[in-house]
Amino acid sequence: MPDSTALMSDWSADVLIALKDLDIRQIAYVPDAGLANILQLAGENTDIAMISVASEEDAVALSGGAWLGGQRTLVAMQSSGVGNILNMLTLPCVCEMPLLMLVTMRGEPGEANPWQYSTGMAVSAMLSTVGVEVRRVETAGEVGTVVRKAGEDAFLNDRQICVQIAQSIVGFKGFCDQGKHDAAN
C-alpha cells in the first residue's frame, strides 16, 4: 500500500496546478489537516490569497463577494463543516453565483472518531438537497482532473459544485482519547 503522505502531496500538487489553470485568486478555508498540503502549496504561490475564516459560512460569503469583484475563489473545508453552511448556500444557489468547493471527508469506513460519523455520512445528501452538485473522488490520481473540470463547469456556467475527496485519499486520523484509554489499560 502506498504511503498516505506521498498520496496526499501528489494530489495536492495536482490541485494547485488545476487552481492556477482556473485562475483561482483566493482560497477561503477553515484549517484542516486533510487540506494542509494543498493550503501550504497554495500559500507559497503569491498569485493566490489565502484567507483563513472563522466559520465555513464565511468562506461561502467571501466566495460570492470575490466573484462580484471579478475574482475566482476556492472554498475548502473538512466534511464536518458542511453542516455549518447549508443556509449560506442559498446565496450562490439563488443568485446563480459560481461556487467551487473542496471538501475532505471524515466519518467514512475506517474512521476512529465517532463524532465524525453523522455529518460524514450526510455530506452528499445535504449538499444535493440544497442544489450543490457533488463530484466524489475515490483515487488520488483523479483529484486534479476532477477539480479542474468542476471549476470549469462552475465558473463558466454559474454552477455550484463540490469536489468531495474520499477519506481513503486524505488519510485516517486516530481518535485522541483512544491512545489515553489504551495507555491506562
Side-chain angles (χ1 to χ4, degrees):
M1 174 129 192
D3 177 3
S4 64
T5 305
L7 288 175
M8 191 178 298
S9 60
D10 288 347
W11 72 260
S12 296
D14 292 344
V15 169
L16 182 60
I17 292 166
L19 297 179
K20 287 180 176 186
D21 290 347
L22 292 166
D23 195 30
I24 298 292
R25 296 298 178 156
Q26 300 180 28
I27 297 178
Y29 66 96
V30 174
D32 169 53
L35 294 165
N37 285 350
I38 183 59
L39 296 176
Q40 179 180 347
L41 287 172
E44 294 168 359
N45 183 321
T46 59
D47 294 335
I48 299 176
M50 303 297 296
I51 304 155
S52 178
V53 295
S55 78
E56 293 82 2
E57 287 180 312
D58 296 341
V60 174
L62 188 143
S63 176
W67 178 74
L68 291 171
Q71 290 193 349
R72 294 177 173 185
T73 301
L74 172 70
V75 171
M77 69 187 72
Q78 182 188 97
S79 58
S80 57
V82 171
N84 298 332
I85 66 170
L86 296 178
N87 193 47
M88 183 56 75
L89 288 172
T90 304
L91 175 68
C93 291
V94 171
C95 296
E96 297 180 357
M97 295 176 167
L99 175 67
L100 178 61
M101 295 174 54
L102 183 66
V103 173
T104 55
M105 291 303 297
R106 295 284 309 268
E108 297 187 328
E111 173 66 61
N113 183 343
W115 295 101
Q116 296 288 345
Y117 297 156
S118 61
T119 304
M121 290 186 295
V123 166
S124 293
M126 287 189 294
L127 290 172
S128 296
T129 298
V130 298
V132 176
E133 179 184 338
V134 177
R135 298 184 185 180
R136 184 171 170 85
V137 184
E138 297 283 344
T139 60
E142 296 176 317
V143 177
T145 302
V146 173
V147 168
R148 180 178 292 106
K149 181 62 177 149
E152 290 169 356
D153 291 344
F155 295 116
L156 296 177
N157 300 301
D158 296 329
R159 291 168 58 190
Q160 303 76 42
I161 302 174
C162 171
V163 175
Q164 182 186 58
I165 301 176
Q167 190 169 3
S168 59
I169 295 172
V170 176
F172 293 86
K173 301 175 189 174
F175 187 50
C176 62
D177 290 335
Q178 184 64 41
K180 293 177 190 173
H181 176 71
D182 289 345
N185 291 327

